[in-house]
Amino acid sequence: MRKFSKSFSVAAFALALSLAGCSASGSTASSGTAGTSSQTGTSSASSTQMVTAASISEDTHYDADDLTWDAAKEVAVALKDGASTVAGSAAGVKVDGDTVTISAAGTYRLSGALTDGKVVVAAGEEDVVRVILDGATLASSTGSPFIVQSANEAILFLEEGSTNSIKDAATYADQGTDAPNAAVYSMADLTLAGTGSLEVNGQYNDGIVSKDGLVLAAGNVTVKAADDGIRGKDYAVLLDGTYQITAGGDGFKSDNDTDDGRGWLLVNGGKLTVSAGDDGVKAQNQLAIANGTVTVSESSEGLEAQHIAVSGGTVTVTAMDDGVNASGGASTATQSGGGMGGGPGGGESVGDYSVDISGGSLTINSEGDGLDSNGNASISGGTVVVNGPESNGNGALDVNGELAVSGGTVAAAGSAGMVVTPGTSSTQSGVQITFTSTVPAATTVQLADANGKLVATFVTTKATGSLVFSSSAIEAGKQYTVHTGGTAQTESGLGEGSLEGATELGTVTAGEYTQGHGPGGR
């Protein structure tokens, strides 16, 4: 049964900071022949508290108990054009031509096909409705083939071993303001679960939409959408499963921009792959990645929200504009003094925006700014690799306020025109390498200490004018020798290497961040 969400303002953001090293746990339970899976995640927090991995149900409608039921009480619905049938005498299901309407709480197992029909859930406001897709095909020529008009919570469960598909019309007969506009459309909280597969084709607009909360607890789901791929309103959460999204607009998003503390997105497990015409993963408020694998293979901007936190998992972003962008929404801004060792200078305003990396792996390949915050940014753990822009109009790092580095490993490569380096509050030192001439893609750049010990090996992915590197191996005030060439055991980014055959360029001093000169220059 649904647990009503608490109001909070920083839950998703605080979650990622507190979940470093934590992972979502999964368990399988069954009732009769109905297998289920469950995940645990996070609990709610006030604006002054960090949340823990206690229970995702405190922040969302999700409750793992909703995925356990009595198989003997299932209602079987056989879908067939012009001849759909309901087993037994279930009062909660009505068949009218090629429209199947579910009006009561319960568990409904759908199989068969409707080539031009729809399934409508129109239950009571306290009802939990489970719809099991067990080899079901739904399509419509006039609108959405799966609509949740009303319920407390709708659960779309993918039966183990089953293959299912849902495809909407290319043009909708009803295009009113409040009319459905997605292949899977829910006005109530929506949960996707189960280990089967589902292919969703949103030809008209979006693929999967919840106008309330959305939890992706499991499943092997492929979504193609003309506009947004998967969209939740109050929140969007990925706990487990494999989700592949190809979208003309945004990929995976949460978009409530009116209610305080809503519009947040969390990835705490599973595998998410996004190819988007606009933003890859986007939240109106907070975006947190604590576990799992997120790959944005194509996007305008890869990750975007007012507050972005990565505390675990593996994140890879490719973007035509900014890779990671903390911006948007309403913000009270102050002026930054700018200058080296902080923001880019020029007195840019510093808003209530943040990027916080405390764990995991984040790799960015961007044509615009790599890691961009219109406020402050901090890196305290994990590995951050930025393959930034070739154009001097953008930078690998772009932080309007302070960039505080206190841990982790950072390698930010890009143009030399707008270099941002760790700020004065940083407790971990680093070096800035500005090449006297741009080095081409696939160049091995290596850093060694005064004793000739190799400290870092980095392979560029594009033409590079500058490299900022910070790790625990760098000691403030010590000199390091910069080399190109030699050998590397990686095709791009950070890896192991050898100085054999390398060419020495000069030296840099840790903690001395300036622009416009090469190694050893003054």
Side-chain angles (χ1 to χ4, degrees):
M1 183 175 292
R2 184 180 192 271
K3 296 187 178 182
F4 290 94
S5 303
K6 300 177 183 178
S7 178
F8 62 99
S9 61
V10 294
F13 168 65
L15 168 75
L17 299 182
S18 64
L19 285 187
C22 295
S23 62
S25 62
S27 63
T28 301
S30 64
S31 175
T33 59
T36 69
S37 66
S38 65
Q39 289 293 130
T40 58
T42 128
S43 65
S44 182
S46 72
S47 61
T48 59
Q49 295 175 317
M50 293 296 182
V51 296
T52 67
S55 175
I56 192 70
S57 63
E58 293 297 323
D59 282 340
T60 74
H61 66 274
Y62 178 72
D63 190 335
D65 291 343
D66 289 343
L67 302 183
T68 303
W69 64 87
D70 185 351
K73 295 182 179 179
E74 290 179 9
V75 177
V77 181
L79 304 174
K80 186 176 181 181
D81 291 338
S84 295
T85 57
V86 180
S89 57
V93 188
K94 178 182 178 181
V95 176
D96 183 6
D98 286 326
T99 297
V100 176
T101 302
I102 298 171
S103 58
T107 303
Y108 304 85
R109 183 177 292 269
L110 275 57
S111 60
L114 286 177
T115 59
D116 189 7
K118 60 184 176 181
V119 173
V120 179
V121 176
E125 61 180 16
E126 298 299 324
D127 290 343
V128 175
V129 177
R130 301 175 196 87
V131 176
I132 304 171
L133 299 185
D134 187 6
T137 299
L138 295 173
S140 173
S141 66
T142 58
S144 171
F146 189 91
I147 303 168
V148 180
Q149 290 181 349
S150 59
N152 188 321
E153 176 191 357
I155 301 166
L156 196 57
F157 189 90
L158 311 177
E159 179 61 30
E160 181 179 2
S162 70
T163 301
N164 309 278
S165 67
I166 299 177
K167 180 173 70 172
D168 68 357
T171 301
Y172 279 31
D174 183 356
Q175 299 184 17
T177 302
D178 297 323
N181 63 350
V184 175
Y185 185 86
S186 178
M187 292 295 294
D189 291 324
L190 178 65
T191 300
L192 268 68
T195 58
S197 68
L198 172 64
E199 182 176 318
V200 177
N201 190 346
Q203 299 186 104
Y204 172 64
N205 197 56
D206 298 342
I208 299 173
V209 167
S210 170
K211 300 295 286 185
D212 207 328
L214 174 66
V215 173
L216 309 177
N220 185 352
V221 179
T222 301
V223 176
K224 295 181 180 179
D227 192 16
D228 299 336
I230 299 179
R231 177 163 59 92
K233 185 178 181 181
D234 288 350
Y235 47 81
V237 179
L238 172 61
L239 297 178
D240 205 352
T242 300
Y243 284 76
Q244 297 177 307
I245 301 171
T246 302
D250 299 328
F252 182 41
K253 71 188 290 187
S254 175
D255 64 356
N256 188 330
D257 60 358
T258 57
D259 297 329
D260 184 41
R262 294 306 189 185
W264 59 271
L265 185 149
L266 166 68
V267 177
N268 196 32
K271 183 177 181 180
L272 174 67
T273 304
V274 175
S275 174
D278 201 350
D279 299 332
V281 182
K282 183 175 183 176
Q284 181 67 30
N285 197 345
Q286 296 96 11
L287 189 164
I289 300 173
N291 195 17
T293 301
V294 176
T295 302
V296 179
S297 60
E298 183 178 0
S299 66
S300 174
E301 295 190 333
L303 310 181
E304 184 173 50
Q306 286 184 255
H307 301 283
I308 300 172
V310 177
S311 64
T314 301
V315 184
T316 305
V317 170
T318 301
M320 291 299 296
D321 196 356
D322 299 342
V324 172
N325 186 27
S327 66
S331 173
T332 300
T334 59
Q335 288 299 116
S336 167
M340 291 285 77
E348 291 195 55
S349 61
V350 180
D352 181 20
Y353 306 104
S354 64
V355 175
D356 291 270
I357 314 298
S358 60
S361 171
L362 172 61
T363 302
I364 299 168
N365 189 336
S366 66
E367 296 301 320
D369 296 322
L371 190 153
D372 184 358
S373 174
N374 287 356
N376 297 311
S378 67
I379 300 172
S380 59
T383 300
V384 178
V385 174
V386 181
N387 303 294
E390 296 176 292
S391 166
N392 284 326
N394 293 291
L397 303 171
D398 183 8
V399 181
N400 287 13
E402 178 85 354
L403 171 59
V405 179
S406 59
T409 300
V410 183
S415 63
M418 292 182 62
V419 178
V420 170
T421 57
T424 56
S425 65
S426 297
T427 57
Q428 177 172 285
S429 193
V431 298
Q432 175 191 354
I433 303 168
T434 305
F435 299 101
T436 52
S437 60
T438 300
V439 299
T443 297
T444 299
V445 180
Q446 309 207 68
L447 197 67
D449 64 16
N451 297 318
K453 179 183 177 181
L454 193 60
V455 173
T457 299
F458 181 84
V459 180
T460 62
T461 62
K462 59 185 77 171
T464 299
S466 172
L467 173 64
V468 174
F469 178 80
S470 176
S471 80
S472 60
I474 302 296
E475 296 184 51
K478 297 292 183 68
Q479 283 198 331
Y480 294 85
T481 306
V482 180
H483 304 258
T484 56
T487 60
Q489 297 178 18
T490 183
E491 294 183 0
S492 64
L494 291 168
E496 301 294 324
S498 168
L499 291 175
E500 184 176 356
T503 300
E504 181 178 327
L505 298 186
T507 62
V508 290
T509 302
E512 292 187 1
Y513 301 123
T514 57
Q515 278 186 314
H517 65 75
R522 288 292 183 269

